[in-house]
Amino acid sequence: MDVNTDVDAAEPADEQALRLYRAKLWAGAERRLWHSSAEGTVGQLLRELVDWAEAEGHGDAPVDMYGSGLVEEVERRVAEELGLPAAVFFPTGTMAQQVALRCWAGRTGSPVVALHPLAHPEVHEGGAPAAVSGLRTVHLTDAPRLPTAEEVRDHPEPFGTLMLELPLRDAGFVLPSWDELTEVVEAARERDAVVHFDGARLWECTTLFGRGLREIAELADSVYVSFYKSLGGLSGAALAGPEDVMEEARVWRHRYGGLVAQQYPAALSALRGLAVELPLLPSYVRHARVVAEALREEFAAAGVGWFRVHPEVPHTHQFQVWLPYDPDVLSAAAAEQTEATGTALFRRWFGPGAGGPPGVAVTELTVTRPGLSWTAADVRAAARDFLSRIAA
């Protein structure tokens, strides 16, 4: 459900126009809960990045060539943040994750990866584990949560790698408790399986777990993190883990076409995200809980027949909102509210997907720096205004 302003040549012209209209509308909103890295103009975003680079002493740094310079600095910084021996910069998280699973399959001798059916490789990577690397995936549970230690122990066939997406985005950005996570990792070890964290959004897990990034990361054999999701980078990801595995990952990165000649804009934006956004993430998580509670209160007061804020207390700074209306109706109301008032509370709404209940729609809410100024009263007022536009 991430905002995407790219124009697909195969997309009908009216759909292209609608998508670009929405992106411009959200970017120009006077009040919004979050800012997406996809919003803004080329000139604006490049100027902001140059200004930060100059202020932090990066302006005179040499450009990178095939993974040198600023890219190496990002790798050092990620390894330091996660407390792991080494890290490798990748142009995309999909590539980083595919390489990680491939490396571990070679080391364990098993092509079987245990993961959740809602995990990113299953839903958003076009069957890449099997198509690209010859891997086979198995599911330990289809419940909308991470597997339990018992489910790991009781799975009837062997697997070489257990992949855990923290948080599990498509289930509502949900996390296990710290004790549950450590028990799951221990259960995997009992089966002689390695553990890989899909930590695209690992950065904001510290609040719920009550642990620092290093203590979380040391549970796993390898960890993938994203720079553009929570940290607001242009693009890019990193894979971190043991030195020997990361050396092999560099070989596979080249084979997959990921050894790009120059990536200094993405590397700079990653460094900016680590310096500027990472320290603020706990405040975003805390305020997401204020927003979620205010929405629940307003929906209940308005007599909405059925609704869901999931999780009730957000585990990270992102969560789902469900309402009993057609998604097109809700998307139109959200756009109308933003255009009329300059306030962007909600953005696009979607149907529940295959097997979901009819007549309901879901959206994802994120709280970042712009949302910190919203009081609970502000949220309730915006929600009240939004609901009035549905009824009109």
Side-chain angles (χ1 to χ4, degrees), residues 280-304:
L280 294 174
L281 282 171
S283 67
Y284 299 165
V285 176
R286 290 192 295 270
H287 204 64
R289 296 171 178 176
V290 175
V291 173
E293 175 63 21
L295 287 173
R296 282 201 309 276
E297 290 175 354
E298 189 57 39
F299 291 156
V304 175

Side-chain angles (χ1 to χ4, degrees), residues 41-58:
T41 65
V42 170
Q44 172 196 346
L45 296 176
L46 287 178
R47 280 190 293 272
E48 290 175 358
L49 187 57
V50 169
D51 289 344
W52 181 83
E54 294 286 355
E56 297 299 319
H58 295 294

Side-chain angles (χ1 to χ4, degrees), residues 52-338:
W52 181 83
E54 294 286 355
E56 297 299 319
H58 295 294
D60 295 327
V63 297
D64 60 299
M65 281 298 296
Y66 294 111
S68 66
L70 288 171
V71 171
E72 291 175 317
E73 185 172 346
V74 174
E75 292 173 341
R76 288 192 296 270
R77 180 69 193 280
V78 169
E80 178 184 344
E81 287 287 347
L82 298 181
L84 296 174
V88 181
F89 188 93
F90 281 83
T92 73
T94 295
M95 185 185 294
Q97 202 126 266
Q98 293 302 318
V99 167
L101 297 179
R102 185 164 198 151
C103 288
W104 287 123
R107 280 166 164 70
T108 64
S110 170
V112 182
V113 179
L115 42 59
H116 198 281
L118 292 177
H120 197 276
E122 297 289 71
V123 180
H124 302 291
E125 296 181 17
V132 179
S133 300
L135 304 180
R136 184 166 63 87
T137 59
V138 296
H139 303 151
L140 307 181
T141 180
D142 59 4
R145 53 160 174 76
L146 272 298
T148 64
E150 183 178 6
E151 288 165 341
V152 172
R153 292 189 181 97
D154 291 347
H155 190 71
E157 63 177 309
F159 52 85
T161 302
L162 172 64
M163 195 197 98
L164 299 173
E165 183 177 324
L166 302 173
L168 186 57
R169 181 262 181 98
D170 283 343
F173 305 97
V174 296
L175 290 165
S177 70
W178 178 252
D179 288 343
E180 289 168 339
L181 178 61
T182 56
E183 289 168 3
V184 165
V185 170
E186 181 181 348
R189 304 284 188 227
E190 292 171 5
R191 299 190 60 144
D192 294 324
V194 300
V195 177
H196 169 72
F197 284 171
D198 173 345
R201 297 172 173 84
L202 187 75
W203 309 114
E204 62 264 32
C205 294
T206 57
T207 301
L208 184 81
F209 288 151
R211 303 293 194 285
L213 286 169
R214 290 187 169 207
E215 191 172 353
I216 299 170
E218 72 178 3
L219 290 177
D221 295 282
S222 62
V223 178
Y224 140 64
V225 290
S226 173
F227 299 125
Y228 86 88
K229 290 185 170 67
S230 304
L231 300 185
L234 299 179
S235 61
L239 178 65
E243 291 274 4
D244 61 329
V245 181
M246 294 305 100
E247 283 303 309
E248 183 186 358
R250 293 181 189 278
V251 174
W252 282 109
R253 178 182 64 178
H254 193 180
R255 289 169 174 161
Y256 275 63
L259 187 58
V260 181
Q262 293 182 330
Q263 301 185 86
Y264 58 90
L268 270 175
S269 68
L271 289 172
R272 180 178 63 177
L274 289 166
V276 177
E277 287 299 310
L278 182 57
L280 294 174
L281 282 171
S283 67
Y284 299 165
V285 176
R286 290 192 295 270
H287 204 64
R289 296 171 178 176
V290 175
V291 173
E293 175 63 21
L295 287 173
R296 282 201 309 276
E297 290 175 354
E298 189 57 39
F299 291 156
V304 175
W306 179 93
F307 67 87
R308 187 181 186 194
V309 176
H310 177 66
E312 285 194 4
V313 178
H315 296 176
T316 72
H317 69 313
Q318 298 178 284
F319 58 95
Q320 294 177 337
V321 177
W322 294 73
L323 287 175
Y325 301 95
D326 182 88
D328 290 340
V329 170
L330 295 178
S331 294
E336 178 187 317
Q337 179 180 37
T338 304

